Amino acid sequence: MEISSFPFAVIPTTSNEFDLIQSPPFSPPPSQSFYPVLEDMEGFGDGDGGVIHFKRRRMAGDDDGDGEDRKRDNFGEGGGSELKGILTSLALLEEEERRDREKWVLDFDRERSEMEANGRRGMLEMGSYREVLDGHYEAVSEMEEVKVKRARRLAGAAVASAAEAAGNSGAMTGTTARRLWVKDRSKDWWERLSSRDYPEEEFKREFRMSRATFEMICEELDSSITKKNTMLRDAIPVQQRVAVCIWRLATGEPLRLVSKRFGLGISTCHKLVLEVCSAIKNVLMPKFLQWPEEGRMAEIKGQFESVSGIKNIGGAMYTTHVPIIAPKIRVAEYYNKRHTERNQKTSYSITVQGVVDERGVFTDICIGWPGSMSDESVLEKSALFQRASRGSLRDVWIVGRAGYPLMDWTLVPYAQRNLTWSQHAFNEKVNDVCGVAREAFARLKGRWACLQKRTEVKLQDLPVVLGACCILHNICEMRGETIDPGTRFDICDDELVAEHGARSTAALQERDQIAHNLLHHGLAGTSSL
């Protein structure tokens, strides 16, 4: 049942959530000019409130001094009172205008406050309504789940009763009733392959190991993956469970084809692959993939010294990439730029870092970091780096490519140009040791074809599957299982120089001393010369 997020449009919020309610900016009405222009004013009236224009008339009888004085007195008395009345009217109009402006501002502020309050009340009401609606949807979902569970219980009870009735009728009639709830799939391929008459070479071609090694793995995992028979159906045998997982890893075929070969459902095959890989990690990893003890470490050092002439080499390190489908989250972190540029196709990957001994058997692995990370970054994230930082790798060299930094316990080739003869000799010996790790990863990917292409496994389950491939690789290497030349895989991993090439001055000096001894003690061979 799909539930919509919310029935209303969401109002975006800003620094002030009510900034979206915009009001027109305050602009009081323009003040009116109440000052009339008095032009050509020659005199004032006789007190009737109007402005009267007078023209001076020169009268014959008004030329004496008394007439002039009388005119001046009339002008002073009438004109002064009219001017005061006009100024008083103007002042009253301005005061009334100011009061109107203040009243308008107060009304505007009050209306805006009411709008903001209404907006807040609306937001609160919408929030409370959403909570009520979410609670309603949760209640509906719980009711649906209860109905589904009840229907399943009733169906299970009906099937059980039908099976019991069929069993009773079959016992009475002496015949076996067919179980209609199980789809009839052909298992001829698996039954033919699991028979003792099946050729050994064909069996090894299918599972990348001999029948004896396959049976040994089944015995080791028997207690972890065995299931009991139920009233509805018989459990899948241990040999078939292990075969589904190993054949899927060896061929890299899709689950649809795995289902067809073994006569099982697609979801069942997927579940079996994850269960068996988890059992391999929990049961077989402590026995077949562990850091060597002191006695075994001494043997490894002796074997590497006989090959390279360098003392105290305890392992060769290499990092490869496994392609994956573009993840749904953190896509940029898994984007592999170098593979994309080389293949002209968008590539995503995760990293697999491993340390091997002189036989190509893994002694340490670090799986699952995004493909955009460099070899140096993956090493810093690994448990091997943490153990070395605590001083657990004293008097041991782990040899790697130039993509790793030079430290007190890692030995890498010279990366600068214009090398001396001794540095050339040293690089050739280091490359010989690194070749052991590179060949081990080539056999790993050639033996387990699921590592060569993108798989259907989810990203969170992929480290367990890749770890199971490394453990099965160790079992095959320890038991002398050879790999078919036709399944050989060429590794194409880009080699980059580490960003922080040298992190230890003492390691720099010791590397120079090793290079000097290789050349001047006759251990460098003739290729460097």
Side-chain angles (χ1 to χ4, degrees), residues 406-407 414 501-513:
L406 177 65
M407 296 181 287
Y414 292 94
R503 301 187 182 183
S504 172
T505 304
L508 281 172
Q509 297 176 355
E510 192 164 356
R511 183 175 65 173
D512 293 339
Q513 185 64 35

Side-chain angles (χ1 to χ4, degrees), residues 88-106:
T88 303
S89 300
L90 292 176
L92 292 176
L93 290 174
E94 289 182 355
E95 181 67 20
E96 184 178 359
E97 179 186 1
R98 184 181 62 79
R99 291 177 181 177
D100 292 341
R101 188 186 302 112
E102 292 178 354
K103 181 181 178 182
W104 189 86
V105 171
L106 292 176

Side-chain angles (χ1 to χ4, degrees), residues 23 26 101-116:
S23 56
F26 170 71
R101 188 186 302 112
E102 292 178 354
K103 181 181 178 182
W104 189 86
V105 171
L106 292 176
D107 293 341
F108 175 79
D109 293 339
R110 183 176 64 257
E111 292 177 358
R112 182 172 182 176
S113 300
E114 291 177 357
M115 292 178 64
E116 292 178 354

